Amino acid sequence: MILRYVSLALVAVIIGCSSSDSSSGDNLESRVDALVAQMTLDEKIAQMSGDTVVSGPYGRELWSVPGVERLGVPAFKMSDGPRGIGVHDGATAFPVAMARGASWNADVERQVGEAMGRELRAIGGNVLLAPTINNLRHPSWGRSQETYGEDVHLLSRMGVAFVQGAQQYVLANPKHFAANSIEDTRFSVNVTMDPRTLREIYLPQFRAAVHEGRAASVMSAYNSVNGQFCGENEALLRGILKGEWGFDGFVLSDFTLGTKPESAKNGLDLEMPVSFVFRDLGNQVNSGTLAEAVIDDAVRRMVRKKLQYELEAPSPVDESVIASEAHLEVAQEAAAEGSVLLKNESNALPLDAAALRRIAVVGSLADTANIGDTGSSSVRPAFVVTPLQGIEEALGDSVLVDHIAKDVLDADDLAAIEAADAVIVVTGLSAEDEGEGLIGAGDRLDLDLSPERETLIRDAAASNPRTIVVLEGGGAITMGDWLPEVEALLMVWYPGQMGGYAIADLLFGVANPSGKLPITFPTGLDQLPTFDNVSLEVTYDYFHGYRYLDRNGSTPEFPFGFGLSYTTFSIDNLQASQATAGAGDVVRFSVDVTNSGSATGAEVVQLYVTYPGSAVERSERDLKGFAKVTLGAGESETVEIALQVNDLAYYDAAQAAWTLEALEHAVHVGTSSRDLPLSTSLTVAAQSPVAVY
Ligand code: BGC
């Protein structure tokens, strides 16, 4: 077994070094060796901690880590990123990652990563502290908005796309490794889980980010996993990440006390943002309690990435790229693609602008810059296009827009609402309801809107049946009894600084909604596993999200993968490139998709696998592939989804090996996790172990 891991690790290191980087293979390694050999112990240790001098408010400066000037080894300069370059006033504010997850469009996500990387490079930064790829076990997590959803496959595809995009310009830093999905106890909670749950549910997206995405660095999490803090978790850092996966980059700590006494020995390479624990490393080496080889390995990892990515002399990118027209376009496209149309009774949407005389735009959020939490991922763009601004600019002077900027309506407001041809209520959550702990609101234990905002919707709908809700927030919201009262519901998340234009385009049919839920919207908390942000010991089970509801036979309000369009699609003729397969095969499934309606639109074809007769408990169905296709009215296209057969393996803890079962797998294709009209089967031959990357 050990031999297998070693050989896999070697292969991975070799693959890792032959990437598009300027220096590759032996040449790179000998340059790294030569540099590290010239460094004193003090110089090496100095590179293992940040030296940021914080002179302003939190997050206003690039976090820095020294290099070795006399040897030409450059410093790291870091910024947070999941929704934009946080340190720089005026940087583009993209929609939050949850919105981008809802786009199911990895090409757009690659462009988002690239734009953020370009902006960071332009201000002299070289490490982007993003993407957040923690699996959303429960929508109560205060940082739901920072991640791409509740499914490992979707998380992997979006995470890889972001990393690949960003690393055109800077080093990416997928975070937080691992199982970080509770805010209020994040510094102290121990998350216990069995090996299968860890390997299949909480780690695959990190494996994809380092293997396929070739992420140069990874950030450890604050919490403990199976009894050891992630920042000193030997099994995670040395065993899995650097050992089995052959990761040749570096691991940095999360920022507030994320470094622990055993961190260096157990595989953490860099303490951020300043030296608390690692300032003792010199004493430890001198007294013989820590091998200098540990220091050398950490420094080699960082120097390797500095050379590979030419951080010593990056080609210049000028500041005109910050919030450039091109980046704002990407932000707007991501907002439009990520908005999910959840309800559209009697084709209430799109609104025909030419037929409107008067509309009401209602709610305190309608003209509020509501772009996400106040935590480390916050961004300060030069402007934010609010929903009201987008609507007003789209309609011009020909339509009277009554703006009622309140959540509690009086008789005059209700009269104005009644007189309108259509009512758009903009409501939802804000940074006051959810966000990062310490510097934000923390976890959200109640998934409902505030009673005031629920009443706002009901009152508006009672005064005018043509009520459309534009809903903002970073995760699932439970609807209560207001949902049946409204004609249409558009979930726009925190849509970034261009969100108002995207929303107006969607409302008036300039753009067609094509987002799909990246998380389940339950009817209530009783459909979900327990979220415990008080205990310091919690257990994560194998099931959460749609897989939990499927197992329990619960019917959600809106299922994972669901989203409507202004057009209709038909999907048929499911074909597989082969009916039987073995380890290592890639099976291609195809379907014919036809836009059978009258507007151009995009559909996300989703492929789920089930495991009848499996020897272990499996999900009812797992997402294993998807493809988004845009079609004009009446157009058809054959869409292909590739399935890696090794992706069907489960982790056999007793053998410490990924195992393919001899099963006739059922393959289901459709347009949401609960709408899968096409099926076929794929018979797979048993094999163990199999390589899962
Ligand atoms: C957050 C990280 C962030 C870091 C630096 C931490 O508290 O958990 O996601 O990158 O701060 O701002």
Side-chain angles (χ1 to χ4, degrees):
M1 188 51 55
I2 289 171
L3 202 64
R4 185 177 73 88
Y5 287 148
V6 171
S7 60
L8 288 179
L10 279 177
V11 171
V13 169
I14 292 161
I15 293 170
C17 292
S18 65
S19 66
S20 59
D21 324 305
S22 64
S23 349
S24 61
D26 292 348
N27 180 31
L28 171 68
E29 292 308 309
S30 41
R31 287 174 61 209
V32 174
D33 285 344
L35 277 170
V36 176
Q38 293 173 67
M39 294 174 187
T40 65
L41 180 62
D42 286 349
E43 283 172 335
K44 288 188 275 194
I45 289 174
Q47 293 173 80
M48 291 177 65
S49 296
D51 65 350
T52 315
V53 182
V54 180
S55 54
Y58 177 89
R60 295 264 164 152
E61 275 150 83
L62 288 164
W63 310 103
S64 72
V65 184
V68 185
E69 223 178 307
R70 73 177 179 92
L71 297 175
V73 176
F76 285 131
K77 298 280 178 194
M78 308 180 175
S79 169
D80 276 299
R83 66 179 196 254
I85 302 309
V87 293
H88 194 75
D89 282 327
T92 307
F94 293 90
V96 294
M98 186 60 75
R100 285 144 39 206
S103 75
W104 295 58
N105 190 331
D107 293 336
V108 172
E109 188 56 14
R110 191 168 288 107
Q111 290 175 47
V112 170
E114 199 175 325
M116 273 188 224
R118 204 182 282 122
E119 293 196 8
L120 179 56
R121 168 89 82 88
I123 60 163
N126 50 31
V127 181
L128 180 55
L129 303 175
T132 299
I133 50 173
N134 293 114
N135 199 332
L136 184 69
R137 177 179 172 275
H138 196 289
S140 286
W141 184 32
R143 294 174 81 170
S144 303
Q145 60 191 274
E146 273 188 55
T147 191
Y148 299 110
E150 69 183 25
D151 177 81
V152 279
H153 184 79
L154 182 60
L155 278 158
S156 299
R157 298 333 310 146
M158 301 309 271
V160 165
F162 183 95
V163 168
Q164 287 176 339
Q167 292 200 155
Q168 304 296 312
Y169 291 93
V170 294
L171 316 192
N173 182 244
K175 61 188 185 184
H176 313 82
F177 189 67
N180 176 180
S181 47
I182 299 173
E183 217 37 33
D184 292 10
T185 48
R186 63 178 166 159
F187 300 118
S188 44
V189 67
N190 176 38
V191 179
T192 301
M193 61 182 111
D194 61 51
R196 259 194 83 201
T197 303
L198 177 68
R199 300 292 185 137
E200 295 181 30
I201 309 299
Y202 292 97
L203 296 188
Q205 69 276 27
F206 285 98
R207 189 182 63 220
V210 304
H211 267 283
E212 202 181 330
R214 297 189 179 162
S217 66
V218 165
M219 185 189 293
S220 61
Y222 289 129
N223 53 282
S224 298
V225 167
N226 291 335
Q228 211 169 19
F229 279 109
C230 290
E232 58 175 356
N233 194 307
E234 190 176 10
L236 284 178
L237 301 180
R238 286 224 188 275
I240 296 175
L241 177 63
K242 292 178 174 180
E244 290 176 38
W245 298 352
F247 174 60
D248 73 342
F250 58 98
V251 183
L252 58 100
S253 72
D254 203 348
F255 279 50
T256 313
L257 310 177
T259 306
K260 306 289 173 187
E262 303 284 288
S263 286
K265 180 166 80 62
N266 291 347
L268 186 89
D269 304 304
L270 173 57
E271 174 174 19
M272 290 303 292
V274 288
S275 194
F276 277 122
V277 177
F278 280 7
R279 64 179 151 207
D280 189 45
L281 291 179
N283 292 335
Q284 293 175 24
V285 172
N286 290 328
S287 65
T289 52
L290 184 72
E292 190 165 348
V294 169
I295 307 289
D296 287 348
D297 178 59
V299 174
R300 284 179 55 86
R301 288 170 176 278
M302 292 187 274
V303 172
R304 177 184 296 132
K305 292 303 160 187
K306 289 176 177 178
L307 296 183
Q308 261 183 346
Y309 288 85
E310 299 181 330
L311 298 193
E312 71 285 7
S315 55
V317 169
D318 85 52
E319 279 206 32
S320 65
V321 302
I322 308 278
S324 63
E325 216 163 289
H327 291 187
L328 295 178
E329 259 173 42
V330 174
Q332 185 171 333
E333 192 182 351
E337 290 240 5
S339 296
V340 187
L341 183 63
L342 293 173
K343 178 175 179 184
N344 195 18
E345 226 167 62
S346 327
N347 292 330
L349 288 175
L351 293 167
D352 178 2
L356 297 172
R357 291 165 303 110
R358 171 176 188 169
I359 64 164
V361 179
V362 185
S364 63
L365 293 180
D367 201 25
T368 299
N370 193 21
I371 57 171
D373 80 336
T374 53
S376 59
S377 68
S378 63
V379 180
R380 298 180 299 274
F383 63 89
V384 174
V385 181
T386 65
L388 178 73
Q389 185 188 340
I391 291 166
E392 284 182 335
E393 285 187 31
L395 292 177
D397 294 333
S398 55
V399 181
L400 176 68
V401 178
D402 279 317
H403 172 214
I404 303 167
K406 303 177 189 166
D407 289 342
V408 179
L409 305 172
D410 60 26
D412 289 346
D413 302 327
L414 293 172
I417 287 172
E418 200 181 337
D421 298 327
V423 183
I424 299 162
V425 179
V426 182
T427 192
L429 307 173
S430 72
E432 286 168 22
D433 303 298
E434 57 180 343
E436 187 169 341
L438 277 189
I439 41 181
D443 298 320
R444 179 170 60 107
L445 295 181
D446 182 352
L447 301 183
D448 291 341
L449 295 178
S450 68
E452 198 174 71
R453 288 185 175 161
E454 290 199 343
T455 307
L456 169 79
I457 299 173
R458 274 194 303 266
D459 287 353
S463 301
N464 191 323
R466 297 217 61 196
T467 293
I468 291 148
V469 173
V470 171
L471 198 58
E472 298 180 332
I477 292 171
T478 41
M479 308 289 164
D481 56 1
W482 57 263
L483 182 61
E485 309 304 317
V486 305
E487 272 201 325
L489 173 61
L490 183 67
M491 181 72 206
V492 300
W493 319 99
Y494 297 117
Q497 75 176 105
M498 299 297 279
Y501 289 144
I503 290 167
D505 281 352
L506 293 165
L507 292 175
F508 300 115
V510 177
N512 191 345
S514 62
K516 302 277 181 178
L517 289 181
I519 45 172
T520 302
F521 274 40
T523 54
L525 280 168
D526 57 344
Q527 290 193 326
L528 302 177
T530 309
F531 181 79
D532 178 356
N533 69 347
V534 177
S535 308
L536 298 187
E537 289 292 334
V538 300
T539 301
Y540 280 10
D541 296 325
Y542 188 67
F543 293 94
H544 74 269
Y546 69 92
R547 298 160 57 261
Y548 185 85
L549 276 85
D550 286 349
R551 188 181 63 151
N552 296 341
S554 314
T555 304
E557 192 76 77
F558 298 111
F560 175 80
F562 174 78
L564 301 168
S565 165
Y566 298 152
T567 188
T568 48
F569 294 93
S570 65
I571 298 187
D572 52 43
N573 193 24
L574 173 60
Q575 303 281 343
S577 58
Q578 56 201 84
T580 58
D585 286 355
V586 178
V587 182
R588 293 173 197 287
F589 294 90
S590 66
V591 288
D592 296 337
V593 185
T594 302
N595 180 341
S596 45
S598 53
T600 295
E603 182 56 286
V604 179
V605 181
Q606 303 165 38
L607 182 147
Y608 296 78
V609 173
T610 67
Y611 317 85
S614 172
V616 293
E617 190 178 19
R618 297 278 194 129
S619 314
E620 191 77 17
R621 57 187 76 86
D622 279 332
L623 180 74
K624 291 292 181 186
F626 62 89
K628 190 164 190 175
V629 58
T630 302
L631 295 170
E635 266 178 22
S636 293
E637 200 174 303
T638 301
V639 172
E640 199 176 88
I641 297 175
L643 174 79
Q644 311 272 348
V645 167
N646 289 8
D647 242 13
L648 303 175
Y650 75 93
Y651 186 75
D652 181 344
Q655 303 299 321
W658 290 89
T659 297
L660 270 180
E661 288 185 281
L663 286 185
E664 188 179 322
H665 296 80
V667 176
H668 304 289
V669 177
T671 57
S672 93
S673 63
R674 292 286 174 107
D675 181 12
L676 298 166
L678 303 179
S679 297
T680 186
S681 65
L682 177 69
T683 301
V684 169
Q687 187 166 321
S688 181
V690 291
V692 287
Y693 49 81

Coordinates of all heavy atoms in Angstrom, one line a residue, residues 100 103-115 157-158 160-162 164-165 330 333-334 337 626-630:
R100 N -22.1 32.3 -8.4 CA -21.4 31.7 -9.5 C -21.5 30.2 -9.6 O -21.6 29.6 -10.7 CB -19.9 32.1 -9.4 CG -19.7 33.6 -9.8 CD -18.7 34.4 -9.0 NE -17.5 33.6 -8.7 CZ -16.7 33.9 -7.7 NH1 -17.0 34.9 -6.9 NH2 -15.7 33.2 -7.5
S103 N -24.5 29.4 -11.5 CA -24.4 29.5 -13.0 C -24.1 28.2 -13.6 O -24.4 28.0 -14.8 CB -23.3 30.5 -13.4 OG -22.0 29.8 -13.2
W104 N -23.6 27.2 -12.9 CA -23.1 25.9 -13.5 C -22.4 26.2 -14.8 O -22.5 25.4 -15.7 CB -24.3 25.0 -13.7 CG -25.1 24.6 -12.5 CD1 -25.7 25.4 -11.6 CD2 -25.3 23.2 -12.0 NE1 -26.2 24.6 -10.6 CE2 -26.0 23.3 -10.8 CE3 -25.0 22.0 -12.5 CZ2 -26.4 22.2 -10.1 CZ3 -25.4 20.8 -11.8 CH2 -26.1 21.0 -10.6
N105 N -21.6 27.2 -14.8 CA -20.9 27.6 -16.0 C -19.4 27.8 -15.6 O -19.0 28.8 -15.2 CB -21.4 28.9 -16.6 CG -20.9 29.1 -18.0 OD1 -19.7 28.7 -18.3 ND2 -21.6 29.8 -18.9
A106 N -18.6 26.7 -15.8 CA -17.2 26.7 -15.5 C -16.4 27.7 -16.3 O -15.4 28.3 -15.9 CB -16.6 25.3 -15.5
D107 N -16.9 28.0 -17.6 CA -16.2 28.9 -18.4 C -16.2 30.3 -17.9 O -15.2 31.0 -17.9 CB -16.7 28.9 -19.9 CG -16.5 27.6 -20.5 OD1 -15.5 26.9 -20.1 OD2 -17.3 27.2 -21.4
V108 N -17.4 30.7 -17.4 CA -17.5 32.0 -16.8 C -16.7 32.1 -15.5 O -16.0 33.1 -15.2 CB -19.0 32.4 -16.6 CG1 -19.2 33.7 -15.8 CG2 -19.8 32.5 -17.9
E109 N -16.7 31.0 -14.8 CA -15.9 31.0 -13.5 C -14.4 31.1 -13.8 O -13.7 31.8 -13.0 CB -16.2 29.7 -12.7 CG -15.6 29.7 -11.3 CD -16.1 30.9 -10.4 OE1 -17.0 31.6 -10.8 OE2 -15.4 31.1 -9.4
R110 N -14.0 30.5 -14.9 CA -12.6 30.7 -15.2 C -12.3 32.1 -15.5 O -11.3 32.7 -15.1 CB -12.3 29.8 -16.5 CG -10.8 29.6 -16.8 CD -10.5 28.6 -17.8 NE -10.7 27.2 -17.3 CZ -11.7 26.4 -17.6 NH1 -12.7 26.8 -18.4 NH2 -11.8 25.2 -17.0
Q111 N -13.2 32.8 -16.2 CA -13.0 34.2 -16.5 C -13.0 35.1 -15.2 O -12.3 36.1 -15.1 CB -14.1 34.7 -17.4 CG -14.0 34.2 -18.8 CD -15.2 34.6 -19.7 OE1 -15.6 35.7 -19.7 NE2 -15.8 33.7 -20.4
V112 N -13.9 34.7 -14.3 CA -13.9 35.4 -13.0 C -12.5 35.3 -12.3 O -11.9 36.3 -11.8 CB -15.0 34.9 -12.1 CG1 -14.9 35.5 -10.7 CG2 -16.4 35.3 -12.7
G113 N -12.0 34.0 -12.3 CA -10.7 33.8 -11.6 C -9.6 34.6 -12.3 O -8.8 35.2 -11.7
E114 N -9.7 34.6 -13.6 CA -8.7 35.3 -14.4 C -8.7 36.8 -14.1 O -7.7 37.5 -14.0 CB -8.9 35.0 -15.9 CG -7.7 35.3 -16.8 CD -8.0 34.8 -18.2 OE1 -8.7 33.8 -18.4 OE2 -7.5 35.5 -19.1
A115 N -9.9 37.3 -14.1 CA -10.1 38.8 -13.9 C -9.6 39.2 -12.5 O -8.8 40.1 -12.3 CB -11.5 39.2 -14.0
R157 N -15.7 21.2 -10.1 CA -15.6 21.9 -11.4 C -15.4 23.4 -11.3 O -14.6 24.0 -12.0 CB -16.9 21.6 -12.2 CG -17.3 20.2 -12.6 CD -16.2 19.1 -12.7 NE -15.1 19.5 -13.5 CZ -13.8 19.2 -13.3 NH1 -13.5 18.4 -12.3 NH2 -12.8 19.5 -14.1
M158 N -16.1 24.0 -10.4 CA -16.0 25.5 -10.3 C -14.7 25.8 -9.7 O -14.0 26.8 -10.1 CB -17.2 26.0 -9.4 CG -18.6 25.7 -10.0 SD -18.8 26.1 -11.8 CE -19.3 27.8 -11.6
V160 N -11.8 24.2 -9.8 CA -10.7 24.0 -10.7 C -10.7 25.2 -11.7 O -9.7 25.7 -12.1 CB -10.9 22.6 -11.5 CG1 -10.0 22.6 -12.7 CG2 -10.6 21.5 -10.5
A161 N -11.9 25.5 -12.2 CA -12.0 26.6 -13.2 C -11.5 27.9 -12.6 O -10.7 28.6 -13.3 CB -13.5 26.8 -13.6
F162 N -11.8 28.2 -11.4 CA -11.3 29.5 -10.8 C -9.8 29.4 -10.6 O -9.1 30.4 -11.0 CB -12.0 29.7 -9.4 CG -11.6 30.9 -8.7 CD1 -12.4 32.1 -8.8 CD2 -10.4 31.0 -8.0 CE1 -12.0 33.3 -8.2 CE2 -10.0 32.2 -7.4 CZ -10.8 33.4 -7.5
Q164 N -7.6 27.7 -12.3 CA -6.9 27.8 -13.6 C -7.0 29.2 -14.1 O -6.0 29.7 -14.7 CB -7.6 26.8 -14.6 CG -7.3 25.3 -14.3 CD -8.0 24.4 -15.2 OE1 -9.0 24.7 -15.8 NE2 -7.5 23.2 -15.3
G165 N -8.1 29.9 -13.9 CA -8.2 31.2 -14.4 C -7.2 32.1 -13.6 O -6.4 32.9 -14.2
V330 N -17.7 40.7 -17.2 CA -17.7 39.4 -16.7 C -18.6 39.3 -15.4 O -19.3 38.4 -15.2 CB -16.2 38.9 -16.3 CG1 -16.2 37.6 -15.6 CG2 -15.4 38.9 -17.6
E333 N -22.1 39.3 -16.5 CA -22.5 38.0 -17.0 C -22.7 36.9 -16.0 O -23.6 36.1 -16.0 CB -21.4 37.6 -18.0 CG -21.8 36.4 -18.9 CD -20.7 35.9 -19.8 OE1 -19.7 36.6 -19.9 OE2 -20.9 34.9 -20.5
A334 N -21.7 36.9 -15.0 CA -21.8 35.9 -13.9 C -23.1 36.2 -13.1 O -23.7 35.2 -12.7 CB -20.6 36.0 -13.0
E337 N -26.0 34.8 -15.2 CA -26.0 33.4 -15.4 C -26.3 32.7 -14.1 O -26.7 31.5 -14.0 CB -24.6 32.9 -15.9 CG -24.4 33.3 -17.3 CD -24.1 32.1 -18.2 OE1 -24.2 30.9 -17.7 OE2 -23.8 32.3 -19.4
F626 N -22.2 17.5 -15.8 CA -23.2 18.4 -16.3 C -22.6 19.2 -17.5 O -21.4 19.3 -17.7 CB -23.7 19.4 -15.2 CG -22.6 20.3 -14.6 CD1 -22.3 21.5 -15.2 CD2 -21.9 19.9 -13.5 CE1 -21.3 22.3 -14.7 CE2 -20.9 20.7 -13.0 CZ -20.6 21.9 -13.5
A627 N -23.5 19.8 -18.3 CA -23.0 20.6 -19.4 C -24.1 21.7 -19.6 O -25.3 21.4 -19.6 CB -22.9 19.8 -20.6
K628 N -23.6 22.9 -19.8 CA -24.6 24.0 -20.1 C -24.5 24.3 -21.6 O -23.5 24.5 -22.1 CB -24.2 25.2 -19.2 CG -25.2 26.3 -19.2 CD -25.0 27.3 -18.1 CE -26.1 28.3 -18.0 NZ -26.0 29.2 -16.8
V629 N -25.7 24.4 -22.1 CA -25.8 24.7 -23.6 C -26.7 25.8 -23.9 O -27.8 25.8 -23.3 CB -26.1 23.4 -24.4 CG1 -27.5 22.8 -23.9 CG2 -26.2 23.6 -25.9
T630 N -26.3 26.7 -24.8 CA -27.2 27.8 -25.2 C -27.7 27.5 -26.6 O -27.0 27.2 -27.5 CB -26.4 29.1 -25.2 OG1 -25.8 29.3 -23.9 CG2 -27.3 30.3 -25.5

